[in-house]
Coordinates of all heavy atoms in Angstrom, one line a residue:
M1 N -55.3 90.2 161.9 CA -55.7 91.2 162.9 C -55.0 92.5 162.6 O -53.8 92.6 162.3 CB -55.2 90.7 164.3 CG -55.5 91.7 165.4 SD -55.4 91.0 167.0 CE -53.8 91.4 167.5
M2 N -55.8 93.6 162.7 CA -55.2 94.9 162.5 C -54.6 95.4 163.8 O -55.1 95.2 164.9 CB -56.4 95.9 162.1 CG -57.0 95.6 160.8 SD -58.2 96.7 160.3 CE -57.2 98.2 160.0
I3 N -53.5 96.1 163.7 CA -52.8 96.6 164.8 C -52.8 98.2 164.6 O -52.5 98.7 163.6 CB -51.3 96.2 164.9 CG1 -51.2 94.6 164.9 CG2 -50.6 96.8 166.1 CD1 -51.8 94.0 166.1
F4 N -53.3 98.8 165.7 CA -53.4 100.3 165.7 C -52.3 100.9 166.6 O -51.6 100.2 167.3 CB -54.8 100.7 166.2 CG -55.9 100.2 165.3 CD1 -56.6 99.1 165.7 CD2 -56.2 100.8 164.1 CE1 -57.6 98.6 164.9 CE2 -57.2 100.3 163.3 CZ -58.0 99.2 163.7
D5 N -52.3 102.2 166.6 CA -51.4 103.0 167.5 C -51.7 102.6 168.9 O -52.8 102.2 169.2 CB -51.5 104.5 167.3 CG -51.0 104.9 166.0 OD1 -50.2 104.2 165.3 OD2 -51.5 106.0 165.5
D6 N -50.7 102.8 169.8 CA -50.9 102.4 171.2 C -52.2 103.0 171.9 O -52.9 102.3 172.6 CB -49.7 102.7 172.0 CG -48.5 101.8 171.7 OD1 -48.7 100.7 171.1 OD2 -47.4 102.2 172.0
D7 N -52.4 104.3 171.6 CA -53.6 104.9 172.2 C -54.9 104.3 171.8 O -55.8 104.1 172.6 CB -53.6 106.4 172.0 CG -53.6 106.8 170.5 OD1 -53.2 106.0 169.7 OD2 -53.9 108.0 170.3
V8 N -55.0 103.9 170.5 CA -56.2 103.3 170.0 C -56.3 101.9 170.5 O -57.4 101.5 170.9 CB -56.2 103.3 168.4 CG1 -57.4 102.5 167.9 CG2 -56.2 104.7 167.9
E9 N -55.2 101.1 170.6 CA -55.3 99.8 171.2 C -55.7 99.8 172.6 O -56.5 99.0 173.1 CB -53.9 99.1 171.0 CG -53.5 98.7 169.6 CD -54.4 97.6 169.1 OE1 -55.1 96.8 169.8 OE2 -54.4 97.4 167.8
T10 N -55.3 100.8 173.4 CA -55.7 100.9 174.8 C -57.1 101.2 174.9 O -57.9 100.6 175.7 CB -54.8 102.0 175.5 OG1 -53.5 101.7 175.4 CG2 -55.2 102.2 176.9
A11 N -57.6 102.2 174.0 CA -59.0 102.5 174.0 C -59.9 101.3 173.7 O -61.0 101.0 174.3 CB -59.3 103.7 173.1
L12 N -59.5 100.5 172.7 CA -60.2 99.3 172.3 C -60.2 98.3 173.4 O -61.3 97.7 173.7 CB -59.6 98.7 171.1 CG -59.8 99.4 169.7 CD1 -58.9 98.7 168.7 CD2 -61.2 99.4 169.3
A13 N -59.1 98.1 174.1 CA -59.1 97.2 175.3 C -60.0 97.6 176.4 O -60.8 96.8 176.9 CB -57.6 97.1 175.8
F14 N -60.1 98.9 176.7 CA -61.0 99.4 177.7 C -62.4 99.2 177.3 O -63.3 98.8 178.1 CB -60.7 100.9 178.0 CG -59.5 101.1 178.9 CD1 -58.6 102.1 178.6 CD2 -59.3 100.4 180.0 CE1 -57.5 102.3 179.4 CE2 -58.2 100.6 180.8 CZ -57.3 101.6 180.5
A15 N -62.7 99.5 176.0 CA -64.1 99.3 175.5 C -64.5 97.9 175.5 O -65.7 97.6 175.9 CB -64.2 99.9 174.1
C16 N -63.6 97.0 175.1 CA -63.9 95.5 175.2 C -64.3 95.1 176.6 O -65.2 94.4 176.8 CB -62.8 94.7 174.6 SG -62.5 94.8 172.9
E17 N -63.5 95.6 177.5 CA -63.7 95.2 178.9 C -65.0 95.7 179.4 O -65.8 95.0 180.0 CB -62.6 95.7 179.8 CG -62.7 95.3 181.2 CD -61.5 95.7 182.0 OE1 -60.4 95.9 181.5 OE2 -61.7 96.0 183.2
E18 N -65.3 97.0 179.1 CA -66.5 97.6 179.6 C -67.8 97.0 179.0 O -68.8 96.8 179.6 CB -66.5 99.1 179.3 CG -67.7 99.9 179.9 CD -67.6 101.4 179.7 OE1 -66.4 101.9 179.8 OE2 -68.6 102.0 179.4
L19 N -67.7 96.7 177.7 CA -68.8 96.2 177.0 C -68.9 94.7 177.0 O -69.9 94.1 176.5 CB -68.8 96.7 175.5 CG -68.9 98.2 175.3 CD1 -68.6 98.5 173.9 CD2 -70.2 98.7 175.8
R20 N -67.9 94.1 177.6 CA -67.8 92.6 177.7 C -68.0 91.9 176.3 O -68.8 91.1 176.1 CB -68.9 92.1 178.6 CG -68.7 92.5 180.1 CD -69.7 92.0 181.0 NE -69.5 92.5 182.3 CZ -70.4 92.5 183.3 NH1 -71.6 92.1 183.0 NH2 -70.1 93.0 184.5
M21 N -67.1 92.5 175.4 CA -67.1 92.0 174.0 C -65.7 91.6 173.7 O -64.7 92.1 174.3 CB -67.5 93.1 173.0 CG -68.9 93.6 173.2 SD -69.3 94.9 172.1 CE -69.9 94.0 170.7
T22 N -65.5 90.7 172.8 CA -64.2 90.4 172.3 C -63.8 91.5 171.3 O -64.6 92.3 170.9 CB -64.2 89.0 171.5 OG1 -65.0 89.2 170.3 CG2 -64.7 87.9 172.3
R23 N -62.5 91.6 171.1 CA -62.0 92.6 170.2 C -62.6 92.5 168.8 O -63.0 93.5 168.2 CB -60.4 92.5 170.1 CG -59.8 93.6 169.3 CD -58.3 93.4 169.4 NE -57.5 94.5 168.9 CZ -57.4 94.9 167.6 NH1 -57.9 94.1 166.7 NH2 -56.7 95.9 167.3
E24 N -62.8 91.2 168.3 CA -63.4 91.0 167.0 C -64.8 91.5 167.0 O -65.3 92.1 166.1 CB -63.3 89.6 166.6 CG -63.9 89.3 165.2 CD -63.7 87.8 164.8 OE1 -62.9 87.1 165.4 OE2 -64.5 87.5 163.9
E25 N -65.6 91.2 168.0 CA -67.0 91.6 168.1 C -67.1 93.2 168.1 O -67.9 93.7 167.4 CB -67.7 91.1 169.4 CG -67.9 89.6 169.4 CD -68.3 89.1 170.8 OE1 -67.9 89.7 171.8 OE2 -69.0 88.0 170.8
L26 N -66.2 93.8 168.9 CA -66.2 95.3 169.0 C -65.9 95.9 167.6 O -66.5 96.8 167.2 CB -65.2 95.7 170.0 CG -65.2 97.3 170.2 CD1 -66.5 97.8 170.6 CD2 -64.1 97.6 171.2
M27 N -64.8 95.3 166.9 CA -64.5 95.9 165.6 C -65.6 95.7 164.6 O -65.9 96.7 163.9 CB -63.2 95.2 165.1 CG -62.0 95.4 166.0 SD -61.6 97.2 166.1 CE -61.2 97.6 164.4
R28 N -66.3 94.6 164.6 CA -67.4 94.4 163.7 C -68.5 95.4 164.0 O -69.1 96.0 163.1 CB -68.0 93.0 163.9 CG -67.1 91.9 163.3 CD -67.7 90.5 163.5 NE -66.9 89.5 163.1 CZ -66.9 89.0 161.9 NH1 -67.8 89.4 161.0 NH2 -66.1 88.0 161.5
L29 N -68.8 95.6 165.3 CA -69.8 96.6 165.7 C -69.4 98.0 165.3 O -70.3 98.7 164.7 CB -70.0 96.6 167.2 CG -71.0 97.6 167.8 CD1 -72.4 97.3 167.3 CD2 -70.9 97.6 169.3
L30 N -68.2 98.4 165.5 CA -67.8 99.7 165.2 C -67.8 100.0 163.7 O -68.3 101.0 163.2 CB -66.3 100.0 165.7 CG -66.2 100.1 167.2 CD1 -64.7 100.1 167.5 CD2 -66.9 101.2 167.8
V31 N -67.4 99.0 162.9 CA -67.4 99.2 161.4 C -68.9 99.2 160.9 O -69.2 100.1 160.1 CB -66.6 98.0 160.7 CG1 -66.9 98.0 159.2 CG2 -65.1 98.2 161.1
R32 N -69.7 98.3 161.5 CA -71.1 98.3 161.0 C -71.8 99.7 161.4 O -72.5 100.3 160.5 CB -71.9 97.2 161.7 CG -73.4 97.3 161.4 CD -74.1 96.0 161.8 NE -73.8 94.9 161.0 CZ -74.4 94.7 159.7 NH1 -75.2 95.6 159.3 NH2 -74.0 93.7 159.0
E33 N -71.6 100.2 162.6 CA -72.2 101.5 163.0 C -71.7 102.6 162.1 O -72.4 103.5 161.7 CB -72.0 101.7 164.5 CG -72.9 100.8 165.3 CD -72.9 101.2 166.8 OE1 -72.2 102.1 167.2 OE2 -73.5 100.5 167.5
W34 N -70.4 102.6 161.8 CA -69.8 103.6 161.0 C -70.4 103.6 159.6 O -70.8 104.6 159.0 CB -68.3 103.5 160.9 CG -67.7 104.6 160.2 CD1 -67.2 105.8 160.7 CD2 -67.4 104.7 158.8 NE1 -66.7 106.6 159.7 CE2 -66.8 106.0 158.5 CE3 -67.6 103.8 157.7 CZ2 -66.4 106.3 157.2 CZ3 -67.2 104.2 156.4 CH2 -66.6 105.5 156.2
L35 N -70.5 102.4 159.0 CA -71.1 102.2 157.7 C -72.6 102.6 157.6 O -73.0 103.3 156.7 CB -70.9 100.8 157.2 CG -69.5 100.4 156.8 CD1 -69.4 98.9 156.6 CD2 -68.9 101.1 155.7
E36 N -73.3 102.3 158.7 CA -74.7 102.7 158.7 C -74.8 104.2 158.9 O -75.7 104.9 158.2 CB -75.4 102.0 159.9 CG -75.7 100.6 159.7 CD -76.3 99.9 160.9 OE1 -76.3 100.4 162.0 OE2 -76.7 98.7 160.7
S37 N -74.0 104.8 159.7 CA -74.1 106.3 160.0 C -73.8 107.1 158.7 O -74.3 108.2 158.6 CB -73.3 106.7 161.2 OG -71.9 106.6 160.9
Y38 N -72.9 106.5 157.8 CA -72.6 107.3 156.6 C -73.4 106.7 155.4 O -73.0 107.0 154.3 CB -71.1 107.2 156.4 CG -70.4 108.1 157.3 CD1 -69.8 107.7 158.5 CD2 -70.2 109.5 157.0 CE1 -69.2 108.5 159.4 CE2 -69.6 110.3 157.9 CZ -69.1 109.8 159.1 OH -68.4 110.7 160.0
A39 N -74.4 106.0 155.7 CA -75.4 105.5 154.6 C -74.7 104.5 153.6 O -75.2 104.4 152.5 CB -76.0 106.7 153.9
Y40 N -73.7 103.8 154.0 CA -73.1 102.8 153.2 C -73.9 101.5 153.4 O -73.9 100.6 152.5 CB -71.6 102.6 153.5 CG -70.8 103.7 153.0 CD1 -70.2 104.6 153.9 CD2 -70.5 103.9 151.6 CE1 -69.4 105.6 153.5 CE2 -69.8 105.0 151.2 CZ -69.2 105.8 152.2 OH -68.4 106.9 151.8
L41 N -74.6 101.4 154.5 CA -75.5 100.2 154.8 C -76.8 100.8 155.3 O -76.8 101.8 155.9 CB -74.9 99.4 156.0 CG -73.8 98.5 155.7 CD1 -73.3 97.8 157.0 CD2 -74.1 97.4 154.7
P42 N -77.9 100.1 154.9 CA -79.2 100.6 155.4 C -79.3 100.4 156.9 O -78.7 99.5 157.5 CB -80.2 99.7 154.7 CG -79.4 98.5 154.3 CD -78.0 98.9 154.1
L43 N -80.0 101.3 157.6 CA -80.2 101.2 159.0 C -81.1 100.0 159.3 O -82.0 99.7 158.5 CB -80.9 102.4 159.6 CG -80.0 103.7 159.5 CD1 -80.9 104.9 160.0 CD2 -78.8 103.6 160.4
N44 N -80.9 99.3 160.4 CA -81.7 98.2 160.8 C -83.1 98.8 161.3 O -83.1 99.7 162.1 CB -81.1 97.5 162.0 CG -79.9 96.7 161.6 OD1 -79.8 96.3 160.4 ND2 -78.9 96.6 162.5
D45 N -84.1 98.3 160.7 CA -85.5 98.7 161.1 C -85.9 98.1 162.4 O -85.6 96.9 162.6 CB -86.5 98.3 160.0 CG -86.3 99.1 158.7 OD1 -85.8 100.3 158.8 OD2 -86.6 98.6 157.7
L46 N -86.5 98.9 163.3 CA -87.1 98.3 164.5 C -88.4 97.7 164.2 O -89.2 98.3 163.5 CB -87.2 99.4 165.6 CG -85.9 100.0 166.1 CD1 -86.1 101.1 167.1 CD2 -85.0 98.9 166.7
D47 N -88.7 96.5 164.7 CA -90.0 95.9 164.5 C -90.7 95.9 165.8 O -90.3 96.4 166.8 CB -89.8 94.5 163.9 CG -89.1 93.6 164.8 OD1 -88.7 94.0 166.0 OD2 -88.8 92.5 164.4
E48 N -91.9 95.4 165.8 CA -92.8 95.4 167.0 C -92.2 94.6 168.1 O -92.5 94.8 169.3 CB -94.2 94.8 166.6 CG -95.0 95.7 165.7 CD -96.3 95.1 165.4 OE1 -96.8 94.2 166.1 OE2 -96.9 95.6 164.4
G49 N -91.3 93.6 167.8 CA -90.7 92.8 168.8 C -89.4 93.4 169.4 O -88.7 92.7 170.1
S50 N -89.1 94.6 169.0 CA -87.8 95.2 169.5 C -87.9 95.5 171.0 O -89.0 95.5 171.6 CB -87.5 96.5 168.8 OG -88.4 97.5 169.1
E51 N -86.7 95.7 171.6 CA -86.6 95.9 173.0 C -86.9 97.3 173.5 O -86.8 97.6 174.7 CB -85.3 95.4 173.6 CG -85.1 93.9 173.4 CD -83.8 93.5 173.9 OE1 -83.1 94.2 174.6 OE2 -83.4 92.3 173.6
T52 N -87.2 98.2 172.6 CA -87.4 99.6 172.9 C -88.9 99.8 173.4 O -89.7 99.1 172.9 CB -87.1 100.6 171.8 OG1 -87.9 100.2 170.7 CG2 -85.7 100.5 171.4
A53 N -89.1 100.7 174.3 CA -90.4 100.9 174.8 C -90.8 102.3 174.5 O -90.0 103.2 174.5 CB -90.5 100.6 176.3
G54 N -92.1 102.6 174.4 CA -92.6 103.9 174.2 C -92.6 104.4 172.8 O -92.3 103.6 171.9
S55 N -92.9 105.6 172.6 CA -92.9 106.2 171.2 C -92.0 107.4 171.1 O -91.7 108.0 172.1 CB -94.3 106.5 170.8 OG -94.8 107.5 171.6
A56 N -91.5 107.7 169.9 CA -90.6 108.8 169.7 C -91.4 110.1 169.6 O -92.5 110.2 169.3 CB -89.8 108.6 168.5

């Protein structure tokens, strides 16, 4: 487990509570989104079965 500065640990704890996620789930999500946003991972394509409605 990675240990961060107190302010980061507090922010992670609040985010976990708000999002109802475990710390591990949140860390995986944050790393995945960061990697996608900087093009280290391809973005997930939305398909016809996605939960979004309407058009862009």
Side-chain angles (χ1 to χ4, degrees):
M1 178 166 94
M2 294 183 67
I3 305 296
F4 298 101
D5 293 336
D6 290 340
D7 58 340
V8 174
E9 288 292 341
T10 300
L12 287 172
F14 283 134
C16 286
E17 185 177 328
E18 184 175 323
L19 298 171
R20 296 183 181 157
M21 299 176 86
T22 65
R23 189 178 191 280
E24 183 177 342
E25 290 169 333
L26 180 62
M27 294 302 296
R28 287 177 186 267
L29 176 66
L30 293 172
V31 170
R32 174 168 288 283
E33 288 188 0
W34 186 89
L35 290 171
E36 286 175 350
S37 68
Y38 286 95
Y40 291 107
L41 284 176
L43 294 175
N44 293 327
D45 292 331
L46 294 177
D47 60 5
E48 292 179 17
S50 70
E51 295 182 12
T52 59
S55 60

